[in-house]
Amino acid sequence: NPCNDIALDVEWFYEPTKTLGDDERKFLLQATQEKMKMIFETNPTVTQTFDFGQVERLVQEVETSESAKLRQALQKRIDEVAELKQELVEQAREMQRKSNHQ
């Protein structure tokens, strides 16, 4: 029977941060960081017993998303500047041609 090796107990895992948009995830990260600061402010020795892997992954996701957005915005500006430089060169050539014909 091919199903003998398959576990029939279905495991479901829901990661709520995956349903959030980039801005929502950033807000969640900031709110979580502030809340954790408040919790551990009174007893800093407790922080050694907690695993912050999920928070660190959320930080990386937010930072990666923001970096990507910034890179896209920068590339858009670079393209716009290149386009404007090209237009300027073309206008300068046109002005030069007009002044040579007069």
Side-chain angles (χ1 to χ4, degrees):
N1 184 356
C3 293
N4 285 342
D5 293 335
I6 299 175
L8 297 178
D9 289 334
V10 177
E11 293 181 29
W12 296 93
F13 178 74
Y14 173 69
E15 176 57 52
T17 61
K18 296 296 180 190
T19 62
L20 301 176
D22 292 337
D23 292 334
E24 293 167 323
R25 209 177 351 232
K26 181 179 178 181
F27 172 77
L28 173 66
L29 172 63
Q30 291 170 340
T32 303
Q33 284 176 326
E34 287 304 313
K35 191 63 173 174
M36 292 176 76
K37 283 180 193 175
M38 290 168 34
I39 291 169
F40 296 121
E41 209 170 43
T42 57
N43 189 0
T45 59
V46 176
T47 59
Q48 300 298 323
T49 63
F50 291 97
D51 177 16
F52 291 104
Q54 290 185 10
V55 174
E56 289 169 357
R57 282 191 295 278
L58 183 58
V59 168
Q60 288 176 340
E61 286 179 20
V62 169
E63 288 174 349
T64 300
S65 173
E66 285 186 346
S67 294
K69 283 182 182 179
L70 290 172
R71 272 190 241 105
Q72 287 175 345
L74 177 60
Q75 187 59 51
K76 182 179 176 183
R77 296 295 183 210
I78 289 171
D79 293 345
E80 288 174 0
V81 167
E83 214 175 281
L84 291 171
K85 282 182 180 179
Q86 183 62 34
E87 287 179 26
L88 183 61
V89 168
E90 290 172 10
Q91 288 177 359
R93 286 182 186 156
E94 184 64 32
M95 289 177 64
Q96 185 67 30
R97 277 188 239 140
K98 286 182 181 180
S99 66
N100 286 342
H101 289 309
Q102 290 180 2

